[in-house]
Amino acid sequence: MKEDLQYYMSLPYREVIEADPSGGFVGHIAELPGCITQAETKTALLDLLDDAKEEWLAAALEDGVAIPEPARAEDYSGRFNLRLPKSLHKDLALTAKMEGVSLNQLAMCLIAGGLKASAAKQ
């Protein structure tokens, strides 16, 4: 079954909005390469981003371009393996013990903090 524009417009694509250093805002749809727009306000940007998504999808359908669908929560198990140096493993384990938390909890908090700091820089 071939999907139509309405189908793709209903999918929960991830909208990324960032302040533009020269003023206003820039937004793009993470899963749709090149689907980007800008505006002076966030409200205007959201409207324009929806229009940009619709135009991107319509053009892709017309040209027969494969359209990626957004990732679903069930695509992620919440688990991954990480290899690290023994010395770092030791430092993390000792820190977790001192804090009275599991190594998993400590690693999760450190990763979340790093992601938050990284997002703040962008």
Side-chain angles (χ1 to χ4, degrees):
M1 177 173 117
K2 187 167 177 150
E3 306 299 352
D4 62 5
L5 181 60
Q6 183 178 354
Y7 168 78
Y8 287 108
M9 286 297 292
S10 71
L11 296 178
Y13 286 102
R14 188 167 58 98
E15 298 176 344
V16 179
I17 299 171
E18 300 170 345
D20 186 334
S22 61
F25 297 89
V26 175
H28 69 275
I29 306 296
E31 298 90 350
L32 306 178
C35 184
I36 186 169
T37 192
Q38 62 185 40
E40 290 300 315
T41 66
K42 282 186 182 179
T43 302
L45 180 71
L46 290 174
D47 290 336
L48 291 174
L49 193 54
D50 202 46
D51 291 343
K53 179 173 71 171
E54 185 171 4
E55 291 298 321
W56 192 101
L57 291 168
L61 286 167
E62 184 177 318
D63 294 343
V65 173
I67 300 172
E69 293 194 10
R72 302 168 305 177
E74 52 271 10
D75 291 340
Y76 301 96
S77 68
R79 299 178 62 109
F80 73 99
N81 293 322
L82 177 66
R83 295 197 182 278
L84 54 145
K86 290 179 181 180
S87 60
L88 180 56
H89 186 184
K90 177 184 172 188
D91 291 345
L92 286 169
L94 292 174
T95 301
K97 187 174 184 177
M98 285 179 11
E99 295 290 331
V101 297
S102 70
L103 179 57
N104 187 62
Q105 288 174 312
L106 177 66
M108 185 178 59
C109 289
L110 292 171
I111 291 169
L115 283 173
K116 186 175 180 180
S118 178
K121 290 179 183 178
Q122 296 175 2

PDB file of all heavy atoms in Angstrom, residues 29-45:
ATOM      1  N   ILE A  29      13.207  19.509  10.512  1.00  0.00           N
ATOM      2  CA  ILE A  29      12.662  18.200  10.860  1.00  0.00           C
ATOM      3  C   ILE A  29      13.831  17.223  10.824  1.00  0.00           C
ATOM      4  O   ILE A  29      14.451  17.022   9.779  1.00  0.00           O
ATOM      5  CB  ILE A  29      11.561  17.760   9.867  1.00  0.00           C
ATOM      6  CG1 ILE A  29      10.458  18.815   9.747  1.00  0.00           C
ATOM      7  CG2 ILE A  29      10.999  16.392  10.260  1.00  0.00           C
ATOM      8  CD1 ILE A  29       9.673  19.065  11.020  1.00  0.00           C
ATOM      9  N   ALA A  30      14.145  16.637  11.955  1.00  0.00           N
ATOM     10  CA  ALA A  30      15.350  15.820  12.108  1.00  0.00           C
ATOM     11  C   ALA A  30      15.435  14.676  11.097  1.00  0.00           C
ATOM     12  O   ALA A  30      16.498  14.405  10.563  1.00  0.00           O
ATOM     13  CB  ALA A  30      15.437  15.279  13.528  1.00  0.00           C
ATOM     14  N   GLU A  31      14.326  14.015  10.819  1.00  0.00           N
ATOM     15  CA  GLU A  31      14.362  12.837   9.955  1.00  0.00           C
ATOM     16  C   GLU A  31      14.268  13.166   8.459  1.00  0.00           C
ATOM     17  O   GLU A  31      14.405  12.277   7.625  1.00  0.00           O
ATOM     18  CB  GLU A  31      13.209  11.880  10.312  1.00  0.00           C
ATOM     19  CG  GLU A  31      13.255  11.330  11.703  1.00  0.00           C
ATOM     20  CD  GLU A  31      12.511  12.204  12.725  1.00  0.00           C
ATOM     21  OE1 GLU A  31      12.118  13.332  12.393  1.00  0.00           O
ATOM     22  OE2 GLU A  31      12.336  11.742  13.864  1.00  0.00           O
ATOM     23  N   LEU A  32      14.008  14.439   8.128  1.00  0.00           N
ATOM     24  CA  LEU A  32      13.818  14.819   6.727  1.00  0.00           C
ATOM     25  C   LEU A  32      14.949  15.748   6.296  1.00  0.00           C
ATOM     26  O   LEU A  32      14.889  16.955   6.517  1.00  0.00           O
ATOM     27  CB  LEU A  32      12.456  15.499   6.535  1.00  0.00           C
ATOM     28  CG  LEU A  32      11.233  14.720   7.041  1.00  0.00           C
ATOM     29  CD1 LEU A  32       9.958  15.529   6.836  1.00  0.00           C
ATOM     30  CD2 LEU A  32      11.136  13.362   6.362  1.00  0.00           C
ATOM     31  N   PRO A  33      15.991  15.209   5.676  1.00  0.00           N
ATOM     32  CA  PRO A  33      17.161  16.014   5.320  1.00  0.00           C
ATOM     33  C   PRO A  33      16.805  17.209   4.442  1.00  0.00           C
ATOM     34  O   PRO A  33      16.122  17.071   3.428  1.00  0.00           O
ATOM     35  CB  PRO A  33      18.043  15.034   4.533  1.00  0.00           C
ATOM     36  CG  PRO A  33      17.485  13.681   4.789  1.00  0.00           C
ATOM     37  CD  PRO A  33      16.074  13.836   5.216  1.00  0.00           C
ATOM     38  N   GLY A  34      17.245  18.385   4.873  1.00  0.00           N
ATOM     39  CA  GLY A  34      17.002  19.601   4.101  1.00  0.00           C
ATOM     40  C   GLY A  34      15.676  20.266   4.388  1.00  0.00           C
ATOM     41  O   GLY A  34      15.376  21.311   3.815  1.00  0.00           O
ATOM     42  N   CYS A  35      14.867  19.689   5.242  1.00  0.00           N
ATOM     43  CA  CYS A  35      13.579  20.299   5.606  1.00  0.00           C
ATOM     44  C   CYS A  35      13.845  21.294   6.726  1.00  0.00           C
ATOM     45  O   CYS A  35      13.889  20.943   7.904  1.00  0.00           O
ATOM     46  CB  CYS A  35      12.582  19.233   6.047  1.00  0.00           C
ATOM     47  SG  CYS A  35      10.942  19.918   6.394  1.00  0.00           S
ATOM     48  N   ILE A  36      14.038  22.558   6.332  1.00  0.00           N
ATOM     49  CA  ILE A  36      14.477  23.591   7.264  1.00  0.00           C
ATOM     50  C   ILE A  36      13.794  24.913   6.935  1.00  0.00           C
ATOM     51  O   ILE A  36      13.442  25.165   5.778  1.00  0.00           O
ATOM     52  CB  ILE A  36      16.017  23.723   7.212  1.00  0.00           C
ATOM     53  CG1 ILE A  36      16.525  24.677   8.273  1.00  0.00           C
ATOM     54  CG2 ILE A  36      16.488  24.118   5.828  1.00  0.00           C
ATOM     55  CD1 ILE A  36      18.037  24.646   8.441  1.00  0.00           C
ATOM     56  N   THR A  37      13.589  25.736   7.938  1.00  0.00           N
ATOM     57  CA  THR A  37      13.023  27.065   7.735  1.00  0.00           C
ATOM     58  C   THR A  37      13.466  27.966   8.876  1.00  0.00           C
ATOM     59  O   THR A  37      14.060  27.507   9.850  1.00  0.00           O
ATOM     60  CB  THR A  37      11.484  27.005   7.624  1.00  0.00           C
ATOM     61  OG1 THR A  37      10.992  28.254   7.163  1.00  0.00           O
ATOM     62  CG2 THR A  37      10.834  26.644   8.956  1.00  0.00           C
ATOM     63  N   GLN A  38      13.157  29.254   8.747  1.00  0.00           N
ATOM     64  CA  GLN A  38      13.503  30.199   9.813  1.00  0.00           C
ATOM     65  C   GLN A  38      12.430  31.262   9.917  1.00  0.00           C
ATOM     66  O   GLN A  38      11.674  31.494   8.978  1.00  0.00           O
ATOM     67  CB  GLN A  38      14.865  30.826   9.567  1.00  0.00           C
ATOM     68  CG  GLN A  38      14.964  31.641   8.296  1.00  0.00           C
ATOM     69  CD  GLN A  38      16.380  32.128   8.067  1.00  0.00           C
ATOM     70  OE1 GLN A  38      17.348  31.394   8.294  1.00  0.00           O
ATOM     71  NE2 GLN A  38      16.514  33.356   7.614  1.00  0.00           N
ATOM     72  N   ALA A  39      12.366  31.908  11.085  1.00  0.00           N
ATOM     73  CA  ALA A  39      11.385  32.958  11.337  1.00  0.00           C
ATOM     74  C   ALA A  39      11.870  33.835  12.488  1.00  0.00           C
ATOM     75  O   ALA A  39      12.792  33.469  13.219  1.00  0.00           O
ATOM     76  CB  ALA A  39      10.031  32.349  11.670  1.00  0.00           C
ATOM     77  N   GLU A  40      11.214  34.953  12.658  1.00  0.00           N
ATOM     78  CA  GLU A  40      11.578  35.890  13.728  1.00  0.00           C
ATOM     79  C   GLU A  40      11.100  35.430  15.100  1.00  0.00           C
ATOM     80  O   GLU A  40      11.720  35.733  16.111  1.00  0.00           O
ATOM     81  CB  GLU A  40      11.019  37.285  13.419  1.00  0.00           C
ATOM     82  CG  GLU A  40      11.701  37.973  12.251  1.00  0.00           C
ATOM     83  CD  GLU A  40      13.188  38.178  12.492  1.00  0.00           C
ATOM     84  OE1 GLU A  40      13.573  38.609  13.598  1.00  0.00           O
ATOM     85  OE2 GLU A  40      13.973  37.879  11.570  1.00  0.00           O
ATOM     86  N   THR A  41       9.965  34.702  15.153  1.00  0.00           N
ATOM     87  CA  THR A  41       9.428  34.248  16.435  1.00  0.00           C
ATOM     88  C   THR A  41       9.221  32.737  16.404  1.00  0.00           C
ATOM     89  O   THR A  41       9.089  32.139  15.328  1.00  0.00           O
ATOM     90  CB  THR A  41       8.064  34.918  16.749  1.00  0.00           C
ATOM     91  OG1 THR A  41       7.097  34.458  15.790  1.00  0.00           O
ATOM     92  CG2 THR A  41       8.170  36.439  16.717  1.00  0.00           C
ATOM     93  N   LYS A  42       9.145  32.134  17.592  1.00  0.00           N
ATOM     94  CA  LYS A  42       8.909  30.689  17.664  1.00  0.00           C
ATOM     95  C   LYS A  42       7.527  30.339  17.122  1.00  0.00           C
ATOM     96  O   LYS A  42       7.367  29.321  16.461  1.00  0.00           O
ATOM     97  CB  LYS A  42       9.045  30.201  19.103  1.00  0.00           C
ATOM     98  CG  LYS A  42      10.464  30.057  19.568  1.00  0.00           C
ATOM     99  CD  LYS A  42      10.513  29.440  20.953  1.00  0.00           C
ATOM    100  CE  LYS A  42      11.945  29.343  21.433  1.00  0.00           C
ATOM    101  NZ  LYS A  42      12.033  28.767  22.783  1.00  0.00           N
ATOM    102  N   THR A  43       6.543  31.189  17.398  1.00  0.00           N
ATOM    103  CA  THR A  43       5.183  30.924  16.920  1.00  0.00           C
ATOM    104  C   THR A  43       5.153  30.891  15.399  1.00  0.00           C
ATOM    105  O   THR A  43       4.592  29.967  14.793  1.00  0.00           O
ATOM    106  CB  THR A  43       4.212  31.997  17.452  1.00  0.00           C
ATOM    107  OG1 THR A  43       4.275  32.001  18.880  1.00  0.00           O
ATOM    108  CG2 THR A  43       2.791  31.722  17.010  1.00  0.00           C
ATOM    109  N   ALA A  44       5.765  31.894  14.783  1.00  0.00           N
ATOM    110  CA  ALA A  44       5.817  31.934  13.322  1.00  0.00           C
ATOM    111  C   ALA A  44       6.623  30.746  12.785  1.00  0.00           C
ATOM    112  O   ALA A  44       6.269  30.163  11.761  1.00  0.00           O
ATOM    113  CB  ALA A  44       6.432  33.250  12.851  1.00  0.00           C
ATOM    114  N   LEU A  45       7.672  30.391  13.476  1.00  0.00           N
ATOM    115  CA  LEU A  45       8.513  29.279  13.040  1.00  0.00           C
ATOM    116  C   LEU A  45       7.725  27.981  13.011  1.00  0.00           C
ATOM    117  O   LEU A  45       7.845  27.196  12.073  1.00  0.00           O
ATOM    118  CB  LEU A  45       9.737  29.124  13.940  1.00  0.00           C
ATOM    119  CG  LEU A  45      10.654  27.975  13.545  1.00  0.00           C
ATOM    120  CD1 LEU A  45      11.391  28.307  12.254  1.00  0.00           C
ATOM    121  CD2 LEU A  45      11.637  27.663  14.629  1.00  0.00           C
TER     122      LEU A  45
END
